[in-house]
Amino acid sequence: MTVMTLIQAVNDALKHEMRRDDRVVVFGEDVGVKGGVFLATEGLQAEFGKDRCFDTPLSECGIIGTAVGMALYGLRPIPEIQFLDFIYPAFDQIVSEAAKMRYRSGGEYTCPMVIRSPYGGGIKGGHYHSQSAEAYFCHTPGLKVVIPSTPADAKGLLIASIRDEDPVMFLEPKRIYRTLKQEVPEGEHVVPIGKGRIVREGKDATVIAYGAMVGICEQAAELAAKEGRSVEIVDPRTLVPLDEPLILDSVRKTGRCVVVYEAPRTCGYGAELAAIVAEKAIEYLEGPIVRVAGFDTPFPYTLDNLYMPDARRVLRGIQKTFQW
Amino acid sequence: MTVMTLIQAVNDALKHEMRRDDRVVVFGEDVGVKGGVFLATEGLQAEFGKDRCFDTPLSECGIIGTAVGMALYGLRPIPEIQFLDFIYPAFDQIVSEAAKMRYRSGGEYTCPMVIRSPYGGGIKGGHYHSQSAEAYFCHTPGLKVVIPSTPADAKGLLIASIRDEDPVMFLEPKRIYRTLKQEVPEGEHVVPIGKGRIVREGKDATVIAYGAMVGICEQAAELAAKEGRSVEIVDPRTLVPLDEPLILDSVRKTGRCVVVYEAPRTCGYGAELAAIVAEKAIEYLEGPIVRVAGFDTPFPYTLDNLYMPDARRVLRGIQKTFQW
Amino acid sequence: MTATKYLSVIDKDGKVAKGKDPNLDAEELRRLYRVMVTTRVMDERALVLQRQGRIGFYVPATGQEASHIGSAYALRDSDWIFPSYRQPGIPLLRGAKIDHLIAEWYGYEGDICKGRQMPVHYSLRSIHFVSVSSPIGTQISHAAGCAMAMRMRKHDGVAMTYFGDGATSSNDFHSGLNFAAVYRAPVVFVCENNHWAISVPVSAQSGTEEMAVKAEAYGMPGVRVDGNDVLAVYRVCKEAVERARRGEGPTLVETVTFRMGPHSSSDDPSKYRDAATVEQWKRRDPIQRFQRYLQQRRLWNEAFEKECQESARATINEAIKRVEATNKPAPRTMFEDVYMTMPPHLQEQMQDLLSLEGPAAADEGAFPL
Amino acid sequence: MTATKYLSVIDKDGKVAKGKDPNLDAEELRRLYRVMVTTRVMDERALVLQRQGRIGFYVPATGQEASHIGSAYALRDSDWIFPSYRQPGIPLLRGAKIDHLIAEWYGYEGDICKGRQMPVHYSLRSIHFVSVSSPIGTQISHAAGCAMAMRMRKHDGVAMTYFGDGATSSNDFHSGLNFAAVYRAPVVFVCENNHWAISVPVSAQSGTEEMAVKAEAYGMPGVRVDGNDVLAVYRVCKEAVERARRGEGPTLVETVTFRMGPHSSSDDPSKYRDAATVEQWKRRDPIQRFQRYLQQRRLWNEAFEKECQESARATINEAIKRVEATNKPAPRTMFEDVYMTMPPHLQEQMQDLLSLEGPAAADEGAFPL
Ligand SMILES: Cc1ncc(C[n+]2csc(CCOP(=O)(O)OP(=O)(O)O)c2C)c(N)n1
Ligand SMILES: Cc1ncc(C[n+]2csc(CCOP(=O)(O)OP(=O)(O)O)c2C)c(N)n1
Ligand SMILES: [Mg+2]
Ligand SMILES: [Mg+2]
């Protein structure tokens, strides 16, 4: 075990897999000499050479388009999109090509690749360095969507994603890149895709959260505990495919459900979570399913701390599920 | 009143607004001499000349990018995207630029434009001529999303969209372009954005549907009526902004809710509808909120009739809300 | 027809100027001819099937046989092809099973793609013919990426990708050519300039009359060639392929040709282009042109022609019969291949569908494009 | 430094060869100089504020003053600018209120953008300076569209758009130039080739050494000019602007310059480029170069310099003081301007936030780029 930040865990996972499998290649804007703007790819070019870790022209469209070609040929590309806000020029390649290749070719051609990208608010990045776009990808059949909330999960899930045979969107909550330090297993460490985790056990209400929101919910759970309410926190870890049983079991146990996400509220991934619970566990509910989310506005710069759900807002969400 | 198909109503609305306001320009692939692959723009170039209705190069990115520039300058562009499946190369321009321009410029620069595009299944178009991508746009603050389900609404909503000061995604259910004929008011006819309609009154269950699914739900409601169940159908008409009161009133009245959409189930717009009801009207519910949707697969060609929700599936969804 | 010069090899009488003939051997030349004829016959049969309502849609390549068959012929069988929907002759050239192609039109059980795509969106891994996409241009950057991978792995393969004049406006044209140039990837970009993108002429597509000149923007060579002259196309592409294989980087080849038929079975070109131009191009038919060359070299006669035509027709008709005797894919297949293994939510959705009672909705709708 | 030739006007001694001088009048020359100096001073002050934690982020344009100020000077005030984040001198040239610029850095009340964007993402409608976006390249097709609109409406305006060498790889570069060429739109594309896209050098950005040559792909003229020579930039752009205004279509201008500082306040360029090259470019400083020219023409002396510097510093410092005395925008403003009128769901979300009790979470995080 070594104590690592989340970004160090990402770097560790990349190195581990590049050593293990020479088909793994990493590329993107500034990932070479600079090692990425967050240093996720630091040291990779030095260790693995320019054929396996290289800078690209400023074209997300080309980054993903060529990644698809490499994957078809048999490589395991790990393209980095510098900020998730800049993934849209590549949207067509992701949605129309990577996601649909296996299906449309009857299973003959596949696109195993991991698209890594930092996402979410919390670094004073304003309008275009803060967005949470996970719902777009969750709504796209053929993609898997993975979001770690701890350094150990970041390493284990990234390794699992790299070994996965399908295209994976690996979204890294940049807000907690360095704020969280944790023991992370050295060497081999795999956290399977499709399995969530109980972050904190509780019996009165279930809060579902992922990424940087998990920590916020832990703060809120502490506040709720002071009010005498025992809150269970569930982190799905992979949004697609989802560990439905874990979530439904928790909600059936507690009878209350709060869904927390920082993306704009309307049609965010939390809407999906709410809809699943409302279809499959409504008879256990003793209160409304409450969503605490980002607002339906673009991401602001100065007021970003008000935009992102904080412990106050989550606490109030928890309280609401009791006011029936 | 004239009897028109939905596509004729679209054409009529375009002509009406182009006559009324010389800032309105229409462009896209094949919209000129050919009049569009569905003939939505037939006759426009002949009547208004090549400056106001013209063909573009094969670049959705350029179509929307230049539309943004025209809108900034003061025109009222109505770009056509030939099929909604082909909008993704323009996704960045829509999501990062058109949607955010007013906000990020503090309200000084605006992008009034209507992006028209046929969407949905039902013409044997397979993988890439059938998709329902409305949820992506509903999740994007700054955009309005409008979907008509009748010829009269198509005309009235399109005119309202063209006069709107914000960018509007006007998605046309191509499956019913010509299958539905209806009396449509001649000349001026505005259906306001943000107001839904009760398609059919009922008291036992509410079915929410839009676009081509409205007709399918009407069939299902007939079948349910034979089983002694009175079904109310609500068509929101505009997904963003949503006529929440209309929906919540109906659900509160009937106590049951089924949401129908043809897009992939996970994170579709129906998840949002379910989540709203689960947060705001759960105490009125006597059954689970049931979603009847497209499957979480890409759109198939041969089996497309099985992919799209049909009356059987909607009926079963209605039945499920009674099995509690 | 454009005024700009480009390489032709076969003149109108079927003669080839000295030093220009690639000197293919007799067997090869006849094979090329046979593939071109079979491609043409396949187009004709398919359009009839479409009009009879037996298949839903078709995209003819009539007039463009020399362009795609001559270029693909410059490759090794192990080289990769990233096609658009308008190179049906390449599977024939590479020996694909005709049943696979025709089953794809029908979307029936025997279709490798399991009925998931519209007709002519073939995917044939066994011959390195990568799944055709509808979105225009996306294959261009795939070819660049594949070639980058070949180079990284120090393999000596080449990728060749096909696209139309319209596709030069796409995002992927720009990024594909740019990436290929920066990494000196072994790829040949074949732009089949057939003068139309559905109803949009080249003059409304680009500020340039030529497409080859666009190579300048990427610092790679661009070559323009008579796309109705199979030997000229072959020669130019052969050079580009060898250049790529030598590690000297990508080339953009523009084959100047003409879409003789409608854009697809749903299109009526008389609405937007005049018959005279079409007539002019008819006189430059690539099959007749090649036939005259073979005749000159005494490799063609009426008997050979008859045999070519008849065997093509017979092969296709028999395959149609076999395919029509099969069924649609089972409903279960709709849920397969979304991921390598079917996740729980798809299993649930599948069970949901399979447990349904009552007749499914009938097919409806007709494709407009 | 690249070997390719491009137009320079001012030589190293500040002299201009006969016939090359655009012969601007004395007042104008001094105004240009003053704007360049103020731009430089603003950069220096902003970087200090950033290091002091008074503003969160900054993007310097040091070394590129001639490139963007000289080009914009070729326009009429009514012409439209579609900038990137690296043309801070243009608002100064066009007489924007300095308080508006500085309030934008702070994202305070007085910011026209209401604190919604990071520093230097100005939007100044009153001077036709269109809202700066972070996504690279998107403004390029806006400029094309705006120019298309000008042409359709038969107005005699011109649009000028700015972007870097990195942006030439973007989707919008390709579509913007293509559309502009097809419709002969009155637009001038100014590519400021400062040799770097963050840590990526031009050699890893494009297969070409020059950017101007990319114009060939679109059938428009491409011109390369010394971007550190304000008169050369002005001359070349003036021609391009006049050409556009005459209805002869777009031009791509490449200004060859150098990013002297870091990409932004978060970047450390010593990690990826050597000091020697930077030193070399220091000797080509655009302000010193212009100063020597003015000196030659007896329009510059120490007193003028001092006055320029001091008044720039004073103007900026006073504005900083005024801005720092103001507040953050009210929470309510976060919900405004999403749409023209606030729809019910946003009203509800706003009420929800405003009704909250307890202290909000503090600001956190530091921007890495
Ligand atoms: C991204 C995208 N936009 C629009 C279409 C609709 N469409 C299908 S084919 C076509 C024209 C293609 O022209 P070209 O690239 O010249 O190829 P050709 O059909 O002539 O072979 C268009 C616009 C599409 N398939 N994909
Ligand atoms: C679409 C997109 N991708 C990535 C980024 C991150 N990024 C910001 S600036 C920059 C480099 C831009 O280089 P260039 O176009 O040469 O402009 P310069 O900064 O040199 O003026 C990058 C990659 C971005 N802003 N937008
Ligand atoms: Mg074409
Ligand atoms: Mg640069």
Side-chain angles (χ1 to χ4, degrees), chain D residues 80-87 90-91 122 128-133 139-140 160-163:
Chain D
W80 284 51
I81 308 261
F82 292 82
S84 84
Y85 44 74
R86 221 180 282 282
Q87 295 83 37
I90 298 179
Y122 307 128
H128 301 299
F129 187 89
V130 178
S131 167
V132 173
S133 192
Q139 71 278 17
I140 304 175
M160 187 174 275
T161 180
Y162 291 86
F163 50 89

PDB file of all heavy atoms in Angstrom, chain D residues 80-87 90-91 122 128-133 139-140 160-163:
ATOM      1  N   TRP D  80     -16.835  43.661 -37.525  1.00  0.00           N
ATOM      2  CA  TRP D  80     -16.982  42.744 -36.381  1.00  0.00           C
ATOM      3  C   TRP D  80     -15.713  41.951 -36.104  1.00  0.00           C
ATOM      4  O   TRP D  80     -15.068  41.462 -37.024  1.00  0.00           O
ATOM      5  CB  TRP D  80     -18.123  41.769 -36.636  1.00  0.00           C
ATOM      6  CG  TRP D  80     -19.480  42.373 -36.473  1.00  0.00           C
ATOM      7  CD1 TRP D  80     -19.943  43.523 -37.044  1.00  0.00           C
ATOM      8  CD2 TRP D  80     -20.547  41.846 -35.689  1.00  0.00           C
ATOM      9  NE1 TRP D  80     -21.235  43.755 -36.661  1.00  0.00           N
ATOM     10  CE2 TRP D  80     -21.641  42.740 -35.836  1.00  0.00           C
ATOM     11  CE3 TRP D  80     -20.712  40.725 -34.881  1.00  0.00           C
ATOM     12  CZ2 TRP D  80     -22.867  42.522 -35.197  1.00  0.00           C
ATOM     13  CZ3 TRP D  80     -21.927  40.511 -34.254  1.00  0.00           C
ATOM     14  CH2 TRP D  80     -22.994  41.407 -34.410  1.00  0.00           C
ATOM     15  N   ILE D  81     -15.425  41.779 -34.815  1.00  0.00           N
ATOM     16  CA  ILE D  81     -14.270  40.993 -34.379  1.00  0.00           C
ATOM     17  C   ILE D  81     -14.749  39.718 -33.695  1.00  0.00           C
ATOM     18  O   ILE D  81     -15.576  39.783 -32.781  1.00  0.00           O
ATOM     19  CB  ILE D  81     -13.425  41.786 -33.343  1.00  0.00           C
ATOM     20  CG1 ILE D  81     -13.070  43.166 -33.871  1.00  0.00           C
ATOM     21  CG2 ILE D  81     -12.230  40.976 -32.869  1.00  0.00           C
ATOM     22  CD1 ILE D  81     -11.718  43.299 -34.455  1.00  0.00           C
ATOM     23  N   PHE D  82     -14.212  38.586 -34.105  1.00  0.00           N
ATOM     24  CA  PHE D  82     -14.471  37.308 -33.443  1.00  0.00           C
ATOM     25  C   PHE D  82     -13.146  36.810 -32.876  1.00  0.00           C
ATOM     26  O   PHE D  82     -12.396  36.115 -33.537  1.00  0.00           O
ATOM     27  CB  PHE D  82     -15.074  36.299 -34.436  1.00  0.00           C
ATOM     28  CG  PHE D  82     -16.457  36.684 -34.871  1.00  0.00           C
ATOM     29  CD1 PHE D  82     -16.655  37.612 -35.883  1.00  0.00           C
ATOM     30  CD2 PHE D  82     -17.573  36.125 -34.263  1.00  0.00           C
ATOM     31  CE1 PHE D  82     -17.929  37.991 -36.272  1.00  0.00           C
ATOM     32  CE2 PHE D  82     -18.855  36.484 -34.654  1.00  0.00           C
ATOM     33  CZ  PHE D  82     -19.036  37.422 -35.656  1.00  0.00           C
ATOM     34  N   PRO D  83     -12.867  37.182 -31.641  1.00  0.00           N
ATOM     35  CA  PRO D  83     -11.534  36.974 -31.080  1.00  0.00           C
ATOM     36  C   PRO D  83     -11.369  35.615 -30.410  1.00  0.00           C
ATOM     37  O   PRO D  83     -12.348  34.912 -30.150  1.00  0.00           O
ATOM     38  CB  PRO D  83     -11.460  38.064 -30.015  1.00  0.00           C
ATOM     39  CG  PRO D  83     -12.877  38.175 -29.535  1.00  0.00           C
ATOM     40  CD  PRO D  83     -13.757  37.875 -30.719  1.00  0.00           C
ATOM     41  N   SER D  84     -10.120  35.278 -30.107  1.00  0.00           N
ATOM     42  CA  SER D  84      -9.848  34.237 -29.119  1.00  0.00           C
ATOM     43  C   SER D  84      -9.503  34.973 -27.824  1.00  0.00           C
ATOM     44  O   SER D  84      -9.779  36.168 -27.686  1.00  0.00           O
ATOM     45  CB  SER D  84      -8.708  33.327 -29.575  1.00  0.00           C
ATOM     46  OG  SER D  84      -7.446  33.892 -29.252  1.00  0.00           O
ATOM     47  N   TYR D  85      -8.885  34.291 -26.896  1.00  0.00           N
ATOM     48  CA  TYR D  85      -8.558  34.917 -25.608  1.00  0.00           C
ATOM     49  C   TYR D  85      -7.246  35.688 -25.657  1.00  0.00           C
ATOM     50  O   TYR D  85      -6.804  36.201 -24.635  1.00  0.00           O
ATOM     51  CB  TYR D  85      -8.446  33.836 -24.524  1.00  0.00           C
ATOM     52  CG  TYR D  85      -7.657  32.641 -25.020  1.00  0.00           C
ATOM     53  CD1 TYR D  85      -6.279  32.709 -25.173  1.00  0.00           C
ATOM     54  CD2 TYR D  85      -8.296  31.468 -25.400  1.00  0.00           C
ATOM     55  CE1 TYR D  85      -5.555  31.654 -25.694  1.00  0.00           C
ATOM     56  CE2 TYR D  85      -7.576  30.405 -25.917  1.00  0.00           C
ATOM     57  CZ  TYR D  85      -6.214  30.496 -26.056  1.00  0.00           C
ATOM     58  OH  TYR D  85      -5.505  29.455 -26.583  1.00  0.00           O
ATOM     59  N   ARG D  86      -6.587  35.778 -26.832  1.00  0.00           N
ATOM     60  CA  ARG D  86      -5.245  36.344 -26.823  1.00  0.00           C
ATOM     61  C   ARG D  86      -5.136  37.645 -27.627  1.00  0.00           C
ATOM     62  O   ARG D  86      -4.110  37.927 -28.246  1.00  0.00           O
ATOM     63  CB  ARG D  86      -4.233  35.290 -27.302  1.00  0.00           C
ATOM     64  CG  ARG D  86      -2.943  35.333 -26.469  1.00  0.00           C
ATOM     65  CD  ARG D  86      -1.900  34.321 -26.902  1.00  0.00           C
ATOM     66  NE  ARG D  86      -2.091  32.952 -26.502  1.00  0.00           N
ATOM     67  CZ  ARG D  86      -1.831  32.464 -25.285  1.00  0.00           C
ATOM     68  NH1 ARG D  86      -1.375  33.245 -24.348  1.00  0.00           N
ATOM     69  NH2 ARG D  86      -2.029  31.196 -25.028  1.00  0.00           N
ATOM     70  N   GLN D  87      -6.211  38.430 -27.637  1.00  0.00           N
ATOM     71  CA  GLN D  87      -6.156  39.725 -28.328  1.00  0.00           C
ATOM     72  C   GLN D  87      -6.639  40.836 -27.401  1.00  0.00           C
ATOM     73  O   GLN D  87      -7.532  41.619 -27.745  1.00  0.00           O
ATOM     74  CB  GLN D  87      -7.018  39.699 -29.602  1.00  0.00           C
ATOM     75  CG  GLN D  87      -6.529  38.745 -30.673  1.00  0.00           C
ATOM     76  CD  GLN D  87      -6.995  37.326 -30.438  1.00  0.00           C
ATOM     77  OE1 GLN D  87      -8.106  37.098 -29.987  1.00  0.00           O
ATOM     78  NE2 GLN D  87      -6.144  36.353 -30.742  1.00  0.00           N
ATOM     79  N   ILE D  90      -7.193  44.645 -28.559  1.00  0.00           N
ATOM     80  CA  ILE D  90      -8.246  45.130 -29.460  1.00  0.00           C
ATOM     81  C   ILE D  90      -9.292  45.961 -28.714  1.00  0.00           C
ATOM     82  O   ILE D  90      -9.665  47.046 -29.180  1.00  0.00           O
ATOM     83  CB  ILE D  90      -8.870  43.979 -30.277  1.00  0.00           C
ATOM     84  CG1 ILE D  90      -7.782  43.333 -31.158  1.00  0.00           C
ATOM     85  CG2 ILE D  90     -10.023  44.496 -31.139  1.00  0.00           C
ATOM     86  CD1 ILE D  90      -8.254  42.171 -31.993  1.00  0.00           C
ATOM     87  N   PRO D  91      -9.764  45.495 -27.565  1.00  0.00           N
ATOM     88  CA  PRO D  91     -10.684  46.362 -26.809  1.00  0.00           C
ATOM     89  C   PRO D  91     -10.053  47.720 -26.510  1.00  0.00           C
ATOM     90  O   PRO D  91     -10.736  48.746 -26.579  1.00  0.00           O
ATOM     91  CB  PRO D  91     -10.923  45.571 -25.520  1.00  0.00           C
ATOM     92  CG  PRO D  91     -10.709  44.149 -25.896  1.00  0.00           C
ATOM     93  CD  PRO D  91      -9.632  44.164 -26.946  1.00  0.00           C
ATOM     94  N   TYR D 122     -13.553  38.253 -22.582  1.00  0.00           N
ATOM     95  CA  TYR D 122     -14.364  39.464 -22.716  1.00  0.00           C
ATOM     96  C   TYR D 122     -15.510  39.276 -23.699  1.00  0.00           C
ATOM     97  O   TYR D 122     -15.445  38.474 -24.627  1.00  0.00           O
ATOM     98  CB  TYR D 122     -13.511  40.628 -23.238  1.00  0.00           C
ATOM     99  CG  TYR D 122     -12.256  40.897 -22.462  1.00  0.00           C
ATOM    100  CD1 TYR D 122     -11.027  40.980 -23.115  1.00  0.00           C
ATOM    101  CD2 TYR D 122     -12.279  41.097 -21.083  1.00  0.00           C
ATOM    102  CE1 TYR D 122      -9.852  41.251 -22.419  1.00  0.00           C
ATOM    103  CE2 TYR D 122     -11.111  41.364 -20.376  1.00  0.00           C
ATOM    104  CZ  TYR D 122      -9.902  41.437 -21.047  1.00  0.00           C
ATOM    105  OH  TYR D 122      -8.745  41.695 -20.364  1.00  0.00           O
ATOM    106  N   HIS D 128     -18.383  45.770 -30.981  1.00  0.00           N
ATOM    107  CA  HIS D 128     -18.421  44.627 -31.914  1.00  0.00           C
ATOM    108  C   HIS D 128     -17.304  43.621 -31.657  1.00  0.00           C
ATOM    109  O   HIS D 128     -16.685  43.113 -32.588  1.00  0.00           O
ATOM    110  CB  HIS D 128     -18.357  45.112 -33.369  1.00  0.00           C
ATOM    111  CG  HIS D 128     -19.468  46.012 -33.727  1.00  0.00           C
ATOM    112  ND1 HIS D 128     -20.792  45.625 -33.673  1.00  0.00           N
ATOM    113  CD2 HIS D 128     -19.489  47.310 -34.116  1.00  0.00           C
ATOM    114  CE1 HIS D 128     -21.560  46.625 -34.024  1.00  0.00           C
ATOM    115  NE2 HIS D 128     -20.810  47.669 -34.286  1.00  0.00           N
ATOM    116  N   PHE D 129     -17.054  43.391 -30.387  1.00  0.00           N
ATOM    117  CA  PHE D 129     -16.038  42.422 -29.987  1.00  0.00           C
ATOM    118  C   PHE D 129     -16.815  41.259 -29.380  1.00  0.00           C
ATOM    119  O   PHE D 129     -17.301  41.335 -28.255  1.00  0.00           O
ATOM    120  CB  PHE D 129     -15.117  43.089 -28.958  1.00  0.00           C
ATOM    121  CG  PHE D 129     -13.909  42.290 -28.555  1.00  0.00           C
ATOM    122  CD1 PHE D 129     -12.718  42.398 -29.276  1.00  0.00           C
ATOM    123  CD2 PHE D 129     -13.932  41.463 -27.437  1.00  0.00           C
ATOM    124  CE1 PHE D 129     -11.576  41.697 -28.878  1.00  0.00           C
ATOM    125  CE2 PHE D 129     -12.798  40.756 -27.042  1.00  0.00           C
ATOM    126  CZ  PHE D 129     -11.618  40.872 -27.765  1.00  0.00           C
ATOM    127  N   VAL D 130     -16.949  40.175 -30.160  1.00  0.00           N
ATOM    128  CA  VAL D 130     -17.901  39.125 -29.784  1.00  0.00           C
ATOM    129  C   VAL D 130     -17.326  38.234 -28.685  1.00  0.00           C
ATOM    130  O   VAL D 130     -16.148  37.883 -28.697  1.00  0.00           O
ATOM    131  CB  VAL D 130     -18.284  38.274 -31.010  1.00  0.00           C
ATOM    132  CG1 VAL D 130     -19.232  37.149 -30.608  1.00  0.00           C
ATOM    133  CG2 VAL D 130     -18.928  39.150 -32.081  1.00  0.00           C
ATOM    134  N   SER D 131     -18.178  37.888 -27.776  1.00  0.00           N
ATOM    135  CA  SER D 131     -17.885  37.018 -26.632  1.00  0.00           C
ATOM    136  C   SER D 131     -16.833  35.936 -26.906  1.00  0.00           C
ATOM    137  O   SER D 131     -17.001  35.072 -27.763  1.00  0.00           O
ATOM    138  CB  SER D 131     -19.205  36.354 -26.216  1.00  0.00           C
ATOM    139  OG  SER D 131     -18.978  35.290 -25.338  1.00  0.00           O
ATOM    140  N   VAL D 132     -15.748  35.982 -26.141  1.00  0.00           N
ATOM    141  CA  VAL D 132     -14.669  34.989 -26.281  1.00  0.00           C
ATOM    142  C   VAL D 132     -15.107  33.658 -25.682  1.00  0.00           C
ATOM    143  O   VAL D 132     -15.692  33.605 -24.613  1.00  0.00           O
ATOM    144  CB  VAL D 132     -13.401  35.477 -25.549  1.00  0.00           C
ATOM    145  CG1 VAL D 132     -12.325  34.399 -25.544  1.00  0.00           C
ATOM    146  CG2 VAL D 132     -12.880  36.762 -26.187  1.00  0.00           C
ATOM    147  N   SER D 133     -14.790  32.595 -26.386  1.00  0.00           N
ATOM    148  CA  SER D 133     -15.125  31.255 -25.925  1.00  0.00           C
ATOM    149  C   SER D 133     -13.848  30.538 -25.512  1.00  0.00           C
ATOM    150  O   SER D 133     -12.774  30.832 -26.030  1.00  0.00           O
ATOM    151  CB  SER D 133     -15.787  30.504 -27.082  1.00  0.00           C
ATOM    152  OG  SER D 133     -16.384  29.320 -26.645  1.00  0.00           O
ATOM    153  N   GLN D 139     -15.037  30.251 -32.816  1.00  0.00           N
ATOM    154  CA  GLN D 139     -15.360  31.575 -33.349  1.00  0.00           C
ATOM    155  C   GLN D 139     -15.119  31.672 -34.857  1.00  0.00           C
ATOM    156  O   GLN D 139     -15.609  32.596 -35.508  1.00  0.00           O
ATOM    157  CB  GLN D 139     -14.554  32.660 -32.618  1.00  0.00           C
ATOM    158  CG  GLN D 139     -13.065  32.695 -32.933  1.00  0.00           C
ATOM    159  CD  GLN D 139     -12.239  31.681 -32.132  1.00  0.00           C
ATOM    160  OE1 GLN D 139     -12.769  30.738 -31.565  1.00  0.00           O
ATOM    161  NE2 GLN D 139     -10.930  31.859 -32.107  1.00  0.00           N
ATOM    162  N   ILE D 140     -14.356  30.732 -35.388  1.00  0.00           N
ATOM    163  CA  ILE D 140     -13.980  30.849 -36.805  1.00  0.00           C
ATOM    164  C   ILE D 140     -15.205  30.719 -37.695  1.00  0.00           C
ATOM    165  O   ILE D 140     -15.407  31.495 -38.629  1.00  0.00           O
ATOM    166  CB  ILE D 140     -12.905  29.796 -37.162  1.00  0.00           C
ATOM    167  CG1 ILE D 140     -11.684  29.952 -36.229  1.00  0.00           C
ATOM    168  CG2 ILE D 140     -12.495  29.940 -38.624  1.00  0.00           C
ATOM    169  CD1 ILE D 140     -10.614  28.880 -36.419  1.00  0.00           C
ATOM    170  N   MET D 160     -13.578  39.938 -38.868  1.00  0.00           N
ATOM    171  CA  MET D 160     -12.206  39.465 -38.712  1.00  0.00           C
ATOM    172  C   MET D 160     -12.171  38.518 -37.523  1.00  0.00           C
ATOM    173  O   MET D 160     -12.748  38.814 -36.474  1.00  0.00           O
ATOM    174  CB  MET D 160     -11.249  40.638 -38.494  1.00  0.00           C
ATOM    175  CG  MET D 160      -9.779  40.223 -38.503  1.00  0.00           C
ATOM    176  SD  MET D 160      -8.641  41.650 -38.413  1.00  0.00           S
ATOM    177  CE  MET D 160      -8.517  42.147 -40.125  1.00  0.00           C
ATOM    178  N   THR D 161     -11.537  37.377 -37.718  1.00  0.00           N
ATOM    179  CA  THR D 161     -11.483  36.426 -36.612  1.00  0.00           C
ATOM    180  C   THR D 161     -10.051  36.025 -36.325  1.00  0.00           C
ATOM    181  O   THR D 161      -9.212  35.966 -37.232  1.00  0.00           O
ATOM    182  CB  THR D 161     -12.370  35.194 -36.870  1.00  0.00           C
ATOM    183  OG1 THR D 161     -12.265  34.307 -35.744  1.00  0.00           O
ATOM    184  CG2 THR D 161     -11.937  34.425 -38.114  1.00  0.00           C
ATOM    185  N   TYR D 162      -9.769  35.766 -35.063  1.00  0.00           N
ATOM    186  CA  TYR D 162      -8.422  35.464 -34.568  1.00  0.00           C
ATOM    187  C   TYR D 162      -8.378  34.072 -33.961  1.00  0.00           C
ATOM    188  O   TYR D 162      -9.314  33.664 -33.264  1.00  0.00           O
ATOM    189  CB  TYR D 162      -8.033  36.459 -33.480  1.00  0.00           C
ATOM    190  CG  TYR D 162      -7.810  37.844 -34.006  1.00  0.00           C
ATOM    191  CD1 TYR D 162      -8.882  38.723 -34.157  1.00  0.00           C
ATOM    192  CD2 TYR D 162      -6.540  38.257 -34.384  1.00  0.00           C
ATOM    193  CE1 TYR D 162      -8.684  39.992 -34.661  1.00  0.00           C
ATOM    194  CE2 TYR D 162      -6.334  39.539 -34.883  1.00  0.00           C
ATOM    195  CZ  TYR D 162      -7.409  40.401 -35.019  1.00  0.00           C
ATOM    196  OH  TYR D 162      -7.204  41.650 -35.524  1.00  0.00           O
ATOM    197  N   PHE D 163      -7.291  33.387 -34.197  1.00  0.00           N
ATOM    198  CA  PHE D 163      -7.106  32.065 -33.592  1.00  0.00           C
ATOM    199  C   PHE D 163      -5.628  31.709 -33.690  1.00  0.00           C
ATOM    200  O   PHE D 163      -4.880  32.351 -34.435  1.00  0.00           O
ATOM    201  CB  PHE D 163      -7.983  31.031 -34.292  1.00  0.00           C
ATOM    202  CG  PHE D 163      -7.866  31.049 -35.788  1.00  0.00           C
ATOM    203  CD1 PHE D 163      -6.905  30.288 -36.443  1.00  0.00           C
ATOM    204  CD2 PHE D 163      -8.696  31.863 -36.554  1.00  0.00           C
ATOM    205  CE1 PHE D 163      -6.784  30.315 -37.828  1.00  0.00           C
ATOM    206  CE2 PHE D 163      -8.578  31.916 -37.939  1.00  0.00           C
ATOM    207  CZ  PHE D 163      -7.617  31.141 -38.575  1.00  0.00           C
TER     208      PHE D 163
END
